[in-house]
Amino acid sequence: MRDWNGKRYWLVGASEGLGRALAERLSRAGAELVLSARSGDRLEALAADLPGRAQAVPCDVTDADSVAAAWERAGEVDGLIYLAGVYWPQAATEWDPGQVVKMAEVNFTGACRVLGHVVPAFTARDRGHIVLTGSLSGFRGLPNSVGYAASKAGVMVLAEGMHADLRGTGVQVQLVNPGFIRTRLTDKNDFRMPQIMEPEAAAAEVFDHISGDRFARHFPTALATALRGLNFLPDGLYYRIVG
């Protein structure tokens, strides 16, 4: 199990939902945190509420200059956990260009901007821990998920490639793929969300996973198994089921 005591972690997307719940878990475990999101007020309030040391560093992951400035303010860290994400449910027949681009910019390209600073620093010193957040929706194309599922699939493949490249080095890459979590994002859905989790329960899953050494965790288990199983269906059958 990982020893969190005294370790310094940069959480990007920490102001609410899963990010906030995970920050609370990590702080109780003894980690010192650098908290980033767009809302400086929410970050300051969270930092004040945590039991351990925490620094609020506002950051807009869609802006390269903002990311660079946040990286400088964060200083040397032992790990990065990327949790930033935006979501609007929509089908291709209801394509909203601004929302689709925003999902790509925050969920995937934002991660690339942050990693552009973190990965070279970690590989140069041959030490570091990187955690990326994908989604069960990223395993295969789903209806009404234009933008979101594609952006999360990109994060998942990015994590897999980084893990392949960095195995055997001092830099560890891990991936978490959650299902539905009760947040302001899933409040937008007007359909039944199977096995929806509270942020605290999801944070417990993430914390347990990143305290160990395995590469990926997909949860909740039953939903993850069902969605991963769809990968083995031929296209004709798959699209008859989901379409």
Side-chain angles (χ1 to χ4, degrees):
M1 295 294 286
R2 193 180 309 277
D3 181 9
W4 296 99
N5 196 43
K7 295 296 189 297
R8 197 159 185 269
Y9 271 69
W10 187 19
L11 271 64
V12 179
S15 62
E16 57 185 273
L18 175 59
R20 184 184 183 92
L22 185 59
E24 293 168 350
R25 277 258 172 183
L26 290 167
S27 186
R28 289 198 301 270
E32 178 183 347
L33 301 178
V34 178
L35 307 170
S36 286
R38 287 181 299 170
S39 173
D41 290 344
R42 288 180 182 175
L43 293 175
E44 292 288 356
L46 174 58
D49 287 343
L50 294 176
R53 295 181 62 184
Q55 173 188 3
V57 179
C59 175
D60 179 355
V61 299
T62 68
D63 185 299
D65 291 338
S66 178
V67 172
W71 170 248
E72 287 297 318
R73 287 190 60 193
E76 185 168 323
V77 294
D78 297 291
L80 161 75
I81 304 177
Y82 191 87
L83 300 136
V86 294
Y87 165 71
W88 291 275
Q90 63 186 270
T93 54
E94 301 166 346
W95 191 291
D96 183 308
Q99 291 177 352
V100 172
V101 170
K102 190 73 169 180
M103 285 185 274
E105 280 281 293
V106 174
N107 302 351
F108 177 69
T109 311
C112 293
R113 289 190 185 93
V114 172
L115 291 168
H117 296 278
V118 172
V119 175
F122 283 7
T123 55
R125 73 187 189 196
D126 196 31
R127 178 173 55 85
H129 182 201
I130 297 169
V131 180
L132 298 180
T133 307
S135 168
L136 296 186
S137 69
F139 285 124
R140 194 165 183 179
L142 294 169
N144 302 311
S145 61
V146 166
Y148 185 77
S151 66
K152 287 297 186 176
V155 171
M156 293 157 69
V157 173
L158 175 63
E160 291 167 354
M162 290 170 55
H163 176 59
D165 288 337
L166 296 171
R167 288 184 68 194
T169 74
V171 181
Q172 181 183 13
V173 178
Q174 291 184 296
L175 172 67
V176 290
N177 294 323
F180 297 108
I181 302 172
R182 197 180 308 279
T183 66
R184 62 179 178 82
L185 299 184
T186 53
D187 286 346
K188 300 174 182 178
N189 290 334
D190 59 2
F191 55 86
R192 186 182 71 84
M193 292 172 279
Q195 293 190 281
I196 187 168
M197 304 178 74
E198 297 300 326
E200 293 75 16
E205 287 272 2
V206 174
F207 180 77
D208 180 70
H209 176 61
I210 65 178
S211 293
D213 293 326
R214 297 188 65 177
F215 166 60
R217 177 172 293 189
H218 324 291
F219 65 91
T221 302
L223 182 60
T225 300
L227 289 176
R228 293 189 76 191
L230 294 175
N231 283 326
F232 299 100
L233 295 180
D235 287 349
L237 178 58
Y238 173 75
Y239 289 110
R240 280 200 299 272
I241 293 172
V242 303

